[in-house]
């Protein structure tokens, strides 16, 4: 079903970005200028976008550049809506004005979040220059401005400059143009997130495929091999659908980049038949067996036709074939479940999840739903659920076969059950030991070995969460950075062993003064400590630090030579301000600590709130 749902989505793979329009009065009146430095404006990009639909035999349809468009062309404001159109033969032009009000030359990216776009042409027009990029799924991958599966179109603006961005999009099918306007860090962050998501997804598919292949080699059971074949074909299909195959496998073959989608779709359909026929234990010579054999031969024939017929025909044929295969397997699985074959229930549930995800994905691809990226993520979740359920169904089938074997070999049941319980107990003991070891490793990874306080890793983990919570609830969050004064002198005078004793002494004092359950004391450097105080304002944190500094200064330590050593601390305090992130908060606290050091040490200073933007 995974394949089939993706198959449906393939029908709408012909999405194409649209290009910006010429700078005419009508465009200006309907489309305001986007302030590129304003993050809120960038987030509301579609409030600034205008588009024009040019049906066949109209001037806009035949125009190849913005200069060829009629001056009186009517533009339609997007009004915040995504550019999503069902099946159309029109050419779509998209226009956007952007301005850089800062004094520095800056680069942004107009991002088209859909990998399979046949034709994409992009212009950015300044006062006396026009830069163009001609790319799309029908051209070599190197034609793209950035080596990326989506289309990243650079927008370079000098300080105070305004430019017109134009996109031209043409598709014979549905048109879905998800646009975003992002800074370079935003593009990198989004790319990293998707890389992690897709890496986990495709990695899991590969692990399941290899695991089933190993099971096949070890047991000789056919459906393990067919499941590995299905997972491999499905992975290739999704890889091609996501634009990765075009980017990594055949970047110089635009034709095969498209052909690979219906080709892998046919392979998925064939793999579904082979796996379903084996897993559901279809008896030879039955009607079900004849239907599946016939469909398998159709798959082989369509594989050959995929190499001959145009893409728009093969994708339709293979989609219809895949839907027919899914329907047949549904019916056959329902019959087998009614006959008492229990693993068929999990088989049906797996395909049901895939069907729901695939239909939603297809509706988005065909232009009936917006937010294609969210639908793609939903589809991947559906695929993951289906794969897990299919493998669980195989586990259930194995249990059923094992039960049959136990029934036949009644005389060996007691011995087998004893071994199972014994191994289960061993496994539980092992799991308990592993759990203890994991807890110990987790504690070691988040705690400082010398002082017992939390370490920098724990700070990196919890700090963003506490900042997000403070912004959400409106409760204060204060960070205090504490540093031991003249600690190098202590190490140089009495050695690092006594220095470690001093650090343990500081940690003990921190623990004594940080009493509330949610307060956190952290050692994140050599003699550097941090206090995270949720629900405490700067004044409260200043009292805590003052008491801490006084306690430290008034409590002598006995050095190795018998003399008394009195330590002092310096502290910098900052409370989270409106619109401030954890890095800015940390920098303000660090600046306050620096001022405390410069002012003579042995004091706690609060960061100036005017530093918060």
């Amino acid at each position: 079903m995974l394949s089939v749902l993706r198959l449906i989505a393939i029908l709408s793979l012909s999405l194409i970005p649209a290009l910006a329009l010429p700078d005419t009065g009508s465009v200006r009146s309907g489309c305001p200028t986007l302030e590129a430095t304003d993050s809120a404006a960038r987030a509301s990009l579609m409030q600034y976008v205008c588009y024009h639909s040019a049906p066949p035999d109209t001037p806009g349809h035949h125009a190849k550049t913005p200069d060829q468009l009629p001056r009186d062309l009517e533009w339609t404001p997007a009004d915040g809506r995504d550019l999503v159109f069902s099946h159309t033969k029109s050419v779509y032009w998209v226009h956007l004005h952007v301005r850089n009000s800062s004094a520095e030359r800056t680069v942004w990216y107009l991002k088209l979040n859909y990998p399979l776009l046949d034709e994409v042409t992009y212009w950015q027009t300044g006062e006396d220059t026009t830069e163009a990029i001609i790319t799309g799924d029908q051209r070599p991958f190197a034609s793209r401005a950035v080596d990326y599966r989506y289309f990243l179109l650079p927008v370079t603006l000098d300080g105070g400059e305004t430019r017109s961005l134009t996109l031209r999009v043409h598709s014979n099918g549905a048109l879905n143009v998800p646009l975003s306007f992002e800074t370079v860090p935003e593009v990198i962050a989004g790319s990293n997130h998707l890389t992690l998501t897709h890496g986990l997804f495709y990695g899991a598919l590969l692990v399941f495929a290899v695991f089933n292949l190993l099971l096949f080699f070890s047991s000789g059971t056919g459906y393990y091999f067919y499941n590995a074949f299905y997972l491999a074909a499905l992975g290739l299909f999704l890889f091609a659908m996501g634009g990765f195959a075009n980017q990594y496998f055949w970047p110089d073959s635009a034709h095969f980049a498209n052909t690979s989608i219906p080709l892998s779709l046919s392979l998925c359909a064939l793999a579904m038949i082979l796996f379903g026929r084996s897993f559901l234990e279809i008896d030879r010579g039955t009607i079900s067996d004849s239907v599946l054999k016939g469909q398998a031969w159709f798959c082989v024939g369509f594989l050959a036709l995929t190499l001959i017929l145009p893409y728009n025909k093969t994708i339709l044929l293979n989609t219809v074939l895949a839907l027919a295969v899914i329907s047949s397997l549904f019916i056959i699985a329902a019959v087998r479940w009614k006959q008492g074959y229990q693993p068929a229930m999990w088989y049906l549930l797996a395909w049901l999840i895939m069907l729901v995800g695939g239909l939603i994905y297809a509706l988005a691809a065909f232009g009936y739903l917006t937010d294609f990226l969210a639908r793609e993520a939903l589809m991947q979740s559906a695929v993951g659920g289906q794969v897990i359920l299919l493998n669980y169904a195989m586990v259930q089938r194995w249990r059923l076969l094992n039960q049959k074997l136990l029934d036949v070999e009644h005389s060996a049941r007691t011995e087998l059950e004893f071994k199972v319980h014994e191994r289960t107990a061993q496994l539980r003991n092992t799991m308990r030991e592993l759990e203890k070891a994991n807890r110990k490793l987790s504690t070691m990874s988040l705690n400082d070995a010398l002082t017992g306080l939390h370490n920098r890793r724990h700070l990196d983990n919890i700090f963003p969460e506490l900042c997000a919570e403070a912004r959400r609830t409106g409760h204060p969050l204060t960070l205090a950075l504490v540093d031991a004064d003249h600690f190098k002198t202590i190490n140089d005078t009495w050695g690092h062993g006594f220095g470690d004793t001093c650090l343990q002494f500081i940690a003990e004092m921190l623990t004594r003064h940080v009493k509330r359950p949610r307060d956190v004391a952290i050692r994140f450097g050599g003699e550097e400590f941090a206090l995270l105080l949720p629900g405490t304002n700067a004044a409260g944190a200043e009292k805590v630090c003052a008491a801490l500094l006084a306690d430290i200064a008034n409590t002598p330590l006995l050095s190795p030579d018998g003399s008394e050593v009195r330590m002092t601390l310096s502290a910098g305090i900052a409370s989270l301000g409106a619109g401030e992130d954890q890095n800015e908060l940390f920098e303000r606290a660090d600046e306050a600590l620096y001022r405390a050091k410069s002012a003579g040490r042995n004091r706690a200073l609060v960061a100036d709130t005017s530093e918060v933007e």
Side-chain angles (χ1 to χ4, degrees):
M1 172 177 283
L2 299 175
S3 310
V4 175
L5 302 178
R6 283 289 192 181
L7 308 178
I8 299 172
I10 294 184
L11 293 177
S12 39
L13 285 181
S14 303
L15 297 179
I16 307 176
L19 298 181
L21 305 162
D23 189 6
T24 64
S26 61
V27 173
R28 286 284 187 184
S29 62
C31 296
T33 299
L34 171 69
E35 176 51 59
T37 59
D38 187 350
S39 59
R42 294 198 306 271
S44 304
L45 172 66
M46 300 313 294
Q47 296 288 351
Y48 300 86
V49 169
C50 287
Y51 70 93
H52 173 74
S53 174
D57 299 326
T58 62
H61 191 89
H62 299 292
K64 299 299 181 183
T65 66
D67 295 338
Q68 297 175 2
L69 292 171
R71 299 286 296 180
D72 58 350
L73 197 68
E74 294 185 2
W75 297 92
T76 303
D79 290 333
R81 295 169 299 185
D82 289 341
L83 299 183
V84 178
F85 310 98
S86 57
H87 187 81
T88 176
K89 293 184 179 180
S90 299
V91 168
Y92 283 85
W93 293 81
V94 178
H95 184 79
L96 174 66
H97 286 290
V98 293
R99 178 179 61 241
N100 178 14
S101 62
S102 70
E104 299 180 355
R105 178 183 177 91
T106 309
V107 176
W108 289 269
Y109 283 97
L110 183 62
K111 187 176 180 183
L112 302 179
N113 297 304
Y114 192 83
L116 303 175
L117 301 172
D118 291 341
E119 300 174 15
V120 177
T121 311
Y122 164 69
W123 295 269
Q124 56 171 317
T125 304
E127 293 182 359
D128 54 359
T129 61
T130 298
E131 301 174 14
I133 296 175
I134 302 174
T135 183
D137 207 32
Q138 298 297 325
R139 293 179 176 272
F141 197 84
S143 66
R144 306 191 182 194
V146 179
D147 184 12
Y148 191 59
R149 69 180 186 118
Y150 294 148
F151 294 91
L152 289 177
L153 307 173
V155 181
T156 304
L157 299 175
D158 291 328
E161 183 182 12
T162 299
R163 287 202 173 194
S164 295
L165 310 183
T166 307
L167 298 172
R168 183 181 184 276
V169 181
H170 178 236
S171 175
N172 291 323
L175 201 73
N176 194 327
V177 188
L179 293 171
S180 61
F181 196 79
E182 302 178 5
T183 63
V184 174
E186 289 170 344
V187 170
I188 294 174
S191 175
N192 290 341
H193 173 74
L194 289 178
T195 298
L196 175 62
T197 302
H198 291 299
L200 292 174
F201 176 74
Y202 289 109
L205 283 184
L206 179 61
V207 168
F208 274 111
V210 172
F211 178 68
N212 278 271
L213 198 60
L214 292 175
L215 288 177
F216 166 71
F217 288 130
S218 63
S219 66
T221 305
Y223 63 78
Y224 286 128
F225 173 80
Y226 296 136
N227 192 37
F229 174 34
Y230 168 66
L231 293 173
L234 175 64
L236 177 61
F237 171 69
L238 299 179
F239 211 63
M241 280 287 295
F244 294 107
N246 187 14
Q247 181 179 6
Y248 297 111
F249 288 173
W250 33 79
D252 299 324
S253 179
H255 173 73
F256 191 73
N258 283 329
T259 303
S260 64
I261 296 174
L263 192 67
S264 57
L265 187 54
S266 295
L267 289 174
C268 280
L270 179 60
M272 282 189 287
I273 293 172
L274 296 175
F275 174 71
R277 184 169 177 268
S278 175
F279 178 81
L280 295 173
E281 297 182 359
I282 306 300
D283 294 331
R284 295 181 181 275
T286 60
I287 296 177
S288 298
D289 182 58
S290 300
V291 170
L292 293 180
K293 281 184 178 179
Q295 289 178 339
W297 282 111
F298 269 109
C299 290
V300 174
F302 280 24
L303 280 172
L305 290 176
T306 299
L307 303 175
I308 301 173
L309 297 179
Y311 169 83
N312 60 346
K313 295 185 181 297
T314 56
I315 191 63
L316 286 173
L317 290 174
N318 290 335
T319 299
V320 172
L321 174 62
L323 288 174
V325 169
I326 289 180
S327 301
S328 300
L329 290 173
F330 254 102
I331 296 172
I332 294 171
V335 172
R336 292 290 291 127
W337 186 22
K338 188 176 180 180
Q339 292 173 348
Y341 186 63
Q342 290 302 315
M345 177 187 68
W346 298 103
Y347 185 91
L348 280 170
L349 184 58
W351 287 110
L352 178 61
I353 292 176
M354 185 61 187
L355 178 61
V356 173
L359 287 176
I360 295 175
Y361 180 67
L363 288 173
F366 280 121
Y368 294 103
L369 291 176
T370 58
D371 199 353
F372 182 83
L373 289 181
R375 316 305 174 187
E376 183 182 45
L378 176 64
M379 184 62 184
Q380 289 185 341
S381 298
V383 169
Q386 190 229 25
V387 170
I388 291 174
L389 284 173
L390 282 180
N391 282 272
Y392 183 73
M394 288 191 292
V395 172
Q396 295 301 313
R397 185 179 186 275
W398 177 85
R399 291 179 60 186
L400 179 62
L401 293 175
N402 186 59
Q403 185 61 47
K404 289 181 180 179
L405 178 62
L406 292 175
D407 291 339
V408 173
E409 301 176 357
H410 185 270
S411 60
R413 176 179 298 178
T414 303
E415 181 181 357
L416 288 174
E417 288 182 350
F418 174 78
K419 290 182 179 180
V420 168
H421 287 304
E422 182 182 28
R423 293 182 179 180
T424 301
Q426 293 174 353
L427 178 60
R428 288 175 178 172
N429 291 334
T430 303
M431 292 299 293
R432 280 195 292 269
E433 293 300 321
L434 286 175
E435 185 177 355
K436 291 179 181 178
N438 286 334
R439 284 198 298 266
K440 183 176 180 181
L441 287 174
S442 177
T443 301
M444 292 174 61
S445 67
L446 297 177
N447 288 82
D448 177 51
L450 176 64
T451 64
L453 298 179
H454 292 299
N455 60 15
R456 180 60 181 264
R457 178 178 296 178
H458 185 69
L459 175 65
D460 293 339
N461 290 340
I462 196 173
F463 197 16
E465 297 177 2
L466 291 178
C467 288
E469 177 186 327
R471 287 191 291 269
R472 184 176 66 255
T473 62
H475 294 160
L477 171 64
T478 302
L479 170 67
L481 298 182
V482 180
D483 190 86
D485 296 331
H486 304 297
F487 190 74
K488 184 176 183 302
T489 302
I490 293 176
N491 279 333
D492 293 343
T493 304
W494 292 286
H496 289 278
F498 182 65
D500 289 345
T501 301
C502 292
L503 292 176
Q504 291 170 339
F505 169 67
I506 295 173
E508 180 183 349
M509 288 294 186
L510 287 174
T511 304
R512 181 184 304 174
H513 286 272
V514 179
K515 301 177 180 179
R516 298 188 311 170
R518 298 199 63 200
D519 293 344
V520 182
I522 294 167
R523 180 193 178 198
F524 68 92
E527 68 274 19
E528 300 168 327
F529 300 83
L531 300 179
L532 281 174
L533 306 173
T536 300
N537 57 22
E542 188 175 13
K543 292 179 180 179
V544 172
C545 290
L548 170 65
L549 268 59
D551 203 359
I552 288 282
N554 295 326
T555 305
L557 288 175
L558 192 64
S559 67
D561 60 11
S563 61
E564 287 189 353
V565 176
R566 293 182 183 269
M567 299 184 62
T568 61
L569 302 179
S570 298
I573 302 167
S575 291
L576 184 68
E580 189 176 31
D581 61 23
Q582 64 266 19
N583 294 327
E584 294 168 334
L585 175 59
F586 193 93
E587 289 175 2
R588 289 200 302 114
D590 192 52
E591 175 63 23
L593 174 62
Y594 177 79
R595 288 193 289 107
K597 290 281 190 179
S598 300
R601 297 180 169 84
N602 191 24
R603 67 195 63 212
L605 294 184
V606 179
D608 188 354
T609 56
S610 64
E611 298 175 10
V612 182
E613 296 182 357

